[in-house]
């Protein structure tokens, strides 16, 4: 099958990593895969993760940080022109659905499918993207989503054919627990790991507020803040900042931390908490929607409402102060993560394309 994916960029992000996994694994199954991206939006790290047989085609029009509606339409037209004749054209990030409309309905380049990983909070104050979000299902034959939460959200906009394909845990040979003796700290500090960036909806500032409350009760803590971007962090709590670690280093951070915290406001799936569970980290997370695919509050994690730093701090203190609870969470995470495999996700993806 000839499958073309339309991406807003090939820059490092969780959503792009999902597309890279699907594209590479579909290629290995014998499909002809093309990624169409705006000019100059390739990322060397992401490109290295792609199967080398995947074709990348760039539009003539570049993408800029802030674009007028006219410029976004022009970019969509330019991307649509780069779509080869395909059996299926897969729009991904919501802004690419206009390029998918032109490529499939106007130029008949293939059947239109939407791989939806977004959520409405991404487009607050962005009327063009919000309009696409609410109407794009109407011109796609089928939407593929990574969680039931996303399926329910799309159905609030319009009726349509929506299939949950999910996603898997990458590099399960790396993201796994360490023996207890290799997790022992030598400085008697408890480490609290956070992964995110400066966007408010990622919850970094909520996490920092919660950590300061924890610090009032427990002084022997240290924060580990991991990000793909340079962050301007101010905190009274001692912290270390880790910029774009390798997969192996990130897995070790998960496996050796005393607590992993996700404070995101909204996620279509939310991969970092699942990676943390796979590595046996005790996890506290916010009810960001997509995490319900794997989060079992009281069993493999503690879950709290979003945007509630005080409540988040209470859950963090519970885990850090209760060694038996921490051990229970460490034991429960890895079996959960084993249920999320890429071969099964790609099976569902292929079936969804073959039967639409």
């Amino acid at each position: 099958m000839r499958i073309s994916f339309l991406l807003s960029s090939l820059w490092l992000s969780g959503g792009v990593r999902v597309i890279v996994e699907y594209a590479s694994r579909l290629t290995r199954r014998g499909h002809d895969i093309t990624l169409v991206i705006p000019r100059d939006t390739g990322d060397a790290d992401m490109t290295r993760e792609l199967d080398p047989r995947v074709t990348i085609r760039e539009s003539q029009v570049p993408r800029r940080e802030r674009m007028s509606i006219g410029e976004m339409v022009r970019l969509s037209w330019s991307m649509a022109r780069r779509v080869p004749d395909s059996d299926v054209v897969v729009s991904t990030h919501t802004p690419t659905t206009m390029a998918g409309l032109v490529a499939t309905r106007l130029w008949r380049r293939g059947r239109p499918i939407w791989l939806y990983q977004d959520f409405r909070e991404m487009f607050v104050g962005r009327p063009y993207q919000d309009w696409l979000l609410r109407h794009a299902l109407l011109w796609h034959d089928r939407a593929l989503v990574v969680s039931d939460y996303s399926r329910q959200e799309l159905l609030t906009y319009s009726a349509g054919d929506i299939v949950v394909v999910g996603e898997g845990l990458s590099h399960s040979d790396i993201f796994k627990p360490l023996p207890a003796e290799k997790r022992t700290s030598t400085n008697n500090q408890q480490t609290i790991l956070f992964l995110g960036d400066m966007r408010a909806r990622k919850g970094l500032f909520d996490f920092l507020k919660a950590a300061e409350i924890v610090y009032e009760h427990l002084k022997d803590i240290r924060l580990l803040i991991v990000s793909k971007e340079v962050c301007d962090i101010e905190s009274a709590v001692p912290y270390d900042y880790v910029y774009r670690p390798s997969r192996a280093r990130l897995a070790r951070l998960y496996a050796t931390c005393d607590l992993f915290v996700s404070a995101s406001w909204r996620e279509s799936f939310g991969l970092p908490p699942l990676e943390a569970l796979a590595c046996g980290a005790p996890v506290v997370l916010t009810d960001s929607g997509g995490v319900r695919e794997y989060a079992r509050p009281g069993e493999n994690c503690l879950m709290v409402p979003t945007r509630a730093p005080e409540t988040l701090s209470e859950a963090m203190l519970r885990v850090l102060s209760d060694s038996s609870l921490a051990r229970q969470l460490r034991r429960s995470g890895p079996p959960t993560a084993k249920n999320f495999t890429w071969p099964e996700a790609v099976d569902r993806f292929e079936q969804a394309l073959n039967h639409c």
Side-chain angles (χ1 to χ4, degrees):
M1 186 181 296
R2 299 166 301 167
I3 306 170
S4 294
F5 289 85
L6 295 165
L7 287 75
S8 287
S9 76
L10 198 55
W11 293 326
L12 174 62
S13 72
V16 170
R17 274 207 157 120
V18 169
I19 297 164
V20 166
E21 285 283 2
Y22 272 122
S24 296
R25 291 173 181 273
L26 287 165
T27 296
R28 292 170 201 144
R29 293 190 179 194
H31 301 287
D32 182 4
I33 307 297
T34 299
L35 305 186
V36 179
I37 64 174
R39 195 178 81 199
D40 301 327
T41 60
D43 180 286
D45 289 339
M46 289 289 89
T47 302
R48 280 192 291 271
E49 290 186 20
L50 272 171
D51 187 289
R53 292 167 292 180
V54 174
T55 300
I56 300 175
R57 305 184 73 173
E58 294 190 358
S59 66
Q60 291 186 337
V61 175
R63 171 187 167 185
R64 295 188 294 104
E65 184 63 28
R66 295 185 178 276
M67 303 178 71
S68 67
I69 292 178
E71 289 172 325
M72 287 186 282
V73 171
R74 182 167 172 259
L75 173 59
S76 297
W77 188 270
S78 179
M79 289 182 64
R81 289 176 63 91
R82 297 293 289 156
V83 176
D85 287 334
S86 310
D87 298 298
V88 176
V89 177
V90 183
S91 303
T92 58
H93 189 43
T94 296
T96 68
T97 57
M98 180 57 69
L101 174 64
V102 174
T104 61
R105 300 305 188 189
L106 181 62
W107 294 335
R108 307 295 181 183
R109 298 285 170 81
R111 290 180 290 127
I113 299 293
W114 187 10
L115 176 58
Y116 178 70
Q117 299 185 77
D118 300 337
F119 42 88
R120 59 172 63 101
E121 286 84 354
M122 294 177 69
F123 305 114
V124 172
R126 302 165 71 183
Y128 175 71
Q129 291 91 332
D130 183 69
W131 185 89
L132 289 174
L133 177 65
R134 296 177 183 278
H135 295 86
L137 189 56
L138 298 174
W139 61 78
H140 289 87
D141 289 352
R142 170 171 283 179
L144 312 182
V145 296
V146 294
S147 66
D148 188 64
Y149 176 83
S150 293
R151 186 181 73 86
Q152 296 294 338
E153 182 186 18
L154 271 186
L155 287 173
T156 65
Y157 305 138
S158 61
D161 186 2
I162 305 173
V163 177
V164 179
V165 294
E167 54 185 271
L169 179 70
S170 304
H171 301 284
S172 57
D173 58 324
I174 296 175
F175 291 105
K176 60 184 180 182
L178 288 175
E181 62 271 15
K182 294 188 178 182
R183 291 191 279 105
T184 304
S185 173
T186 59
N187 57 15
N188 295 318
Q189 280 187 320
Q190 296 193 89
T191 57
I192 306 173
L193 178 62
F194 176 90
L195 192 153
D197 55 48
M198 296 289 287
R199 290 174 293 178
R201 59 183 170 83
K202 288 298 182 180
L204 172 60
F205 303 106
D206 292 339
F207 167 71
L208 293 174
K209 289 178 185 177
E212 289 183 357
I213 297 172
V214 171
Y215 192 53
E216 292 174 3
H217 301 272
L218 294 175
K219 293 298 183 182
D220 61 339
I221 63 171
R222 189 170 193 87
L223 310 181
L224 293 174
I225 299 173
V226 175
S227 182
K228 64 180 182 180
E229 300 174 358
V230 176
C231 296
D232 183 13
I233 300 168
E234 294 183 7
S235 178
V237 186
Y239 72 88
D240 292 313
Y241 170 72
V242 183
Y243 174 68
R244 292 183 75 152
S246 66
R247 291 284 183 94
R249 186 181 181 192
L250 178 58
R252 184 166 184 83
L253 293 177
Y254 284 135
T256 57
C257 72
D258 294 284
L259 175 63
F260 174 80
V261 177
S262 173
S264 182
W265 296 355
R266 196 66 59 214
E267 297 288 345
S268 60
F269 185 86
L271 186 57
L274 182 63
E275 292 176 339
L277 290 174
C279 294
V283 171
V284 169
L285 46 68
T286 49
D287 185 8
S288 56
V291 297
R292 299 173 194 168
E293 292 293 300
Y294 52 81
R296 304 291 180 264
E299 179 184 330
N300 62 14
C301 67
L302 297 186
M303 181 183 285
V304 300
T306 62
R307 310 192 205 191
E310 289 190 2
T311 307
L312 180 61
S313 70
E314 292 171 1
M316 292 165 63
L317 277 167
R318 277 189 62 193
V319 176
L320 294 171
S321 304
D322 187 339
S323 58
S324 63
L325 173 60
R327 284 195 298 271
Q328 174 201 322
L329 298 180
R330 283 193 184 277
R331 288 193 302 267
S332 301
T336 298
K338 287 181 180 178
N339 293 321
F340 295 85
T341 71
W342 273 114
E344 291 178 342
V346 176
D347 285 345
R348 293 188 291 268
F349 195 100
E350 280 185 313
Q351 291 168 10
L353 297 189
N354 287 327
H355 298 97
C356 67

